[in-house]
Every structure is written in structure tokens, then in C-alpha cells.
Amino acid sequence: MSIELRHLRCFLAIAEESNVTRAAARLGLTQPSVSRTLASLEKRMGVRLVDRSTHHLALTAEGRAFRDKAAAAVAAFDEALDTGRLRRRPLRLGHAWSALGPYTTPLLRRWQREHPDTPLELLRIDDRTAGLARGEVDAAVLRGPVDTPGLVTELLFTEPRVAAVPSDDPLAARASLTLADLGAGPVVLNTVSGLTTPDLWPEEIRPTATVTVANTDDWLTAIAAGRGAGASVASTAQMHAHRGVTYRPLSDAPSAPVFLAWRSASPHPAVRQLVALARAVAGSTGPAGPR
């Protein structure tokens, strides 16, 4: 038996729904049919992709690794059959939050002026690689270390870190803050697409209490509600103003690198032009290289 597109779509529906019944409804198939398709795929692959031993369906380690490859394959197939996109194939640029900060609008305006035949689509995707590893975008703005296999990165610039505290918190009255100031109370972490982890703090002042959220909007809401403080980068303060959140410089935290990343295999033809323009707009001369 060969693996067909229907096997990949079935697996991806199961992975996204975490439930065979919901995946079947989404695909317009019966539950037994979806189960048989998954079993056929696992037999052909020679590995178990989905763990069915618990009440809550979960992907195995092999399933998680295969998910990104399957998503990229399906996205490539769908795009190849989209005749409208073949005539004017857009360049999809992903970001998890803040894009290129103050350079975002200049980049979009110059691209439209200099490359009118290739639309540049800016997409916010709450994912550590902003959809790049899953094939949802052609390039992505990523902050912090990039260790996903198969990606090439270009360092564009670095930006300072900032603290984000509730506007009615006494810390908001200070001109600047330190990691120790934030670590004294709960810290709000975006564990899905955010840059900050407890490792930002030295071990002796590492926060003992954290609040986890899944995106920037929830991060801001949690801080404004007084559930804790947060740490981010200067672009967040510029792009995500919130009346309940006050940003202050974080004086003892290292600056964060900002990369433009793309897949090394079959990159979009206009990626190199995007890299050149992003470097020009940001005034960067960072080296490129695989990560």
C-alpha cells in the first residue's frame, strides 16, 4: 500500500482535533473509516503515530515529528493546484507577535512598491515557528534561539527586553525594572509562541510561580488582570499597547535576536529579495546560515 493524500489529511485532522470522532465529522467520514485510514498509515510507516492508551488521544513522539512534515506536504499539494496563486504566487510571511516591530510598515510599503507582482501576506500564527515548520508560510520572523531542523536564518537585528506589569502595580511607577523585581511574584509565560522562559532568570532568582497562556492576547489580559508580570521585547511595547499594562525597560536582561527564517528545501523564489529588503529596512548585516 502506498501513502496517499487522504492518509495525510486524515492524520492531520486527528492531530488537530485530538479526537477520532471529531476528526471524522470534520472530514465528512465515518469514525470506523477514519480509524482504518489511520491504522493503514501507521502500518505503512511502521511506527505508531497516535497513542490510544489513554482517555485523551495524543500524538506519539513519532507522530509529532511526522505532523509537521505531513502538514508541509499537504500545503504544497494544495498550493500546486491553486491556479490563481500560480499566476501571482504570494509570499507568506509569518510572525507569532509584533512582526518586525517598527520596521513592519516600512517593509510592507517598500515591498509593495518594489515588488508589485508578488503580494506579501503578513500572517500572525501562534506557534513557535509562526507556521513555518508546518508549511503554512514561506518565511517567518522569529525571536530567540532557532533550533528547528531544516530552517535557514538571517539575523536582522537585536532588541532590548522590557518588563510588562499591571498599570496599578507599584512597579509601574519605576523608571526601569530588573529580573529580580519580576521574579518576586508570579510571572506570566506564553508557552506556545512566546520568547520568555524561566531560563531567562539566573537560578538563584528564578520565579517560583508562573501563569501559562497560549498567545499574546491572553498574556496581556493576564497581566492587566493582576495575575502576574511578564517579560518581552521592545517591539511588544510598541505594537501591543494595553491600557492595563505598563512596559518598563528590563535593565539586566540580555537583548533578543530577531531572525528572518525560511525552509532550506524548496524556498519561495522571492525569499532572497525579502531577506535583502528586510536587512535594508532594519539596517542589518547579519550573517545567514542553517540552524
Side-chain angles (χ1 to χ4, degrees), residues 18-142:
S18 297
N19 182 281
V20 173
T21 301
R22 288 197 300 269
R26 172 174 165 178
L27 296 169
L29 301 171
T30 65
Q31 185 270 334
S33 175
V34 170
S35 295
R36 286 194 300 270
T37 302
L38 174 60
S40 296
L41 175 61
E42 291 179 322
K43 182 177 180 181
R44 179 63 181 86
M45 296 285 293
V47 295
R48 172 170 284 192
L49 301 173
V50 176
D51 184 1
R52 308 168 185 80
S53 62
T54 64
H55 293 296
H56 300 286
L57 181 150
L59 297 184
T60 63
E62 293 80 5
R64 291 192 296 272
F66 181 66
R67 175 182 55 194
D68 292 341
K69 296 178 181 179
V74 170
F77 178 85
D78 290 342
E79 185 172 307
L81 296 185
D82 188 337
T83 56
R85 282 178 173 251
L86 288 176
R87 288 191 291 271
R88 295 187 69 202
R89 181 183 173 190
L91 177 58
R92 301 164 301 175
L93 177 61
H95 69 105
W97 86 97
S98 297
L100 284 171
Y103 306 115
T104 304
T105 298
L107 175 71
L108 295 176
R109 287 184 175 274
R110 282 192 56 178
W111 182 271
Q112 184 176 2
R113 185 170 65 248
E114 298 177 17
H115 304 278
D117 293 332
T118 305
L120 180 60
E121 297 180 354
L122 186 65
L123 304 172
R124 174 179 160 180
I125 299 176
D126 290 308
D127 174 80
R128 185 65 190 91
T129 65
L132 185 59
R134 300 201 303 263
E136 297 181 38
V137 296
D138 303 297
V141 179
L142 304 180

Side-chain angles (χ1 to χ4, degrees), residues 105-261:
T105 298
L107 175 71
L108 295 176
R109 287 184 175 274
R110 282 192 56 178
W111 182 271
Q112 184 176 2
R113 185 170 65 248
E114 298 177 17
H115 304 278
D117 293 332
T118 305
L120 180 60
E121 297 180 354
L122 186 65
L123 304 172
R124 174 179 160 180
I125 299 176
D126 290 308
D127 174 80
R128 185 65 190 91
T129 65
L132 185 59
R134 300 201 303 263
E136 297 181 38
V137 296
D138 303 297
V141 179
L142 304 180
R143 288 173 168 83
V146 180
D147 53 12
T148 302
L151 300 187
V152 180
T153 62
E154 177 90 7
L155 177 63
L156 297 178
F157 58 93
T158 62
E159 57 182 333
R161 309 251 186 173
V162 297
V165 298
S167 295
D168 58 357
D169 190 288
L171 292 176
R174 300 189 189 180
S176 66
L177 297 171
T178 65
L179 289 170
D181 292 329
L182 299 188
V187 171
V188 183
L189 302 175
N190 174 359
T191 56
V192 174
S193 58
L195 167 67
T196 303
T197 71
D199 291 336
L200 178 64
W201 283 260
E203 188 171 356
E204 62 274 13
I205 59 171
R206 193 159 294 168
T208 57
T210 60
V211 176
T212 59
V213 296
N215 56 60
T216 300
D217 296 331
D218 291 347
W219 181 80
L220 289 167
T221 299
I223 294 171
R227 299 183 64 195
S232 191
V233 291
S235 291
T236 305
Q238 297 164 346
M239 305 291 285
H240 295 280
H242 191 294
R243 64 181 182 180
V245 176
T246 296
Y247 296 99
R248 291 290 181 258
L250 200 49
S251 61
D252 58 346
S255 296
V258 180
F259 296 99
L260 186 64

